Amino acid sequence: MFILLAGSGTAGSISQLITVFIIFIFVLAITVFATRFVGGYQKLNGMNKNLEVIETTRITNNKFLQIIRAGEKYFVIGVGKDEISMLVEIDKETLIDTSTDKISLKESFSDILAGKSLFKGNDKDKSDNNE
């Protein structure tokens, strides 16, 4: 619509710039809505109760070991580029709960860049070395 009104000169250049800007905003809005739709769709499909990957460990570039839960049973599987192999079934009691062992970082990224220590105990060590 603006392109038809665009003539030569400054007014035509400004109208073309505005047209390109409007088209850019339109494409950006379509991209945002499409991403939200696909994300919501995948979130609903990923909410199954019977299958869950508990832990994954990389063995080589394209080979992994995974602990999976299927219903009430736990399995160790090997996942390669073109194959999946069940290695062993394990008991729930043999699994180690590592959810409480994770370190929670409460510092902001700007504090880390400013040189503040991640662990508060290290600050004491530094002050002891300076004395």
Side-chain angles (χ1 to χ4, degrees):
M1 69 184 137
F2 289 113
I3 296 173
L4 296 177
L5 299 175
S8 61
T10 307
S13 297
I14 292 174
S15 66
Q16 285 181 348
L17 179 67
I18 292 172
T19 303
V20 169
F21 185 71
I22 290 171
I23 291 172
F24 173 72
I25 296 297
F26 179 71
V27 169
L28 193 64
I30 289 174
T31 305
V32 167
F33 289 124
T35 304
R36 286 186 182 175
F37 174 74
V38 170
Y41 178 75
Q42 288 179 347
K43 184 178 179 182
L44 290 176
N45 283 342
M47 294 177 57
N48 51 14
K49 305 284 184 192
N50 292 315
L51 292 175
E52 180 182 10
V53 175
I54 304 297
E55 190 171 336
T56 302
T57 301
R58 179 185 299 257
I59 303 298
T60 63
N61 283 342
N62 56 2
K63 295 188 183 200
F64 300 90
L65 284 178
Q66 291 185 338
I67 299 174
I68 61 167
R69 180 183 58 80
E72 295 295 320
K73 296 184 180 184
Y74 291 85
F75 301 98
V76 177
I77 62 170
V79 180
K81 183 178 178 183
D82 296 324
E83 74 279 348
I84 299 173
S85 303
M86 187 183 98
L87 302 176
V88 67
E89 180 179 348
I90 57 177
D91 296 326
K92 184 177 182 177
E93 292 80 30
T94 61
L95 295 176
I96 300 171
D97 184 19
T98 59
S99 61
T100 58
D101 295 341
K102 294 182 180 176
I103 298 172
S104 64
L105 298 176
K106 295 182 180 177
E107 292 182 295
S108 69
F109 188 67
S110 60
D111 290 341
I112 294 170
L113 284 178
K116 293 185 179 179
S117 176
L118 287 175
F119 303 104
K120 293 180 182 177
N122 291 344
D123 291 337
K124 294 178 185 175
D125 295 339
K126 288 179 184 177
S127 63
D128 292 341
N129 291 338
N130 291 337
E131 294 177 359

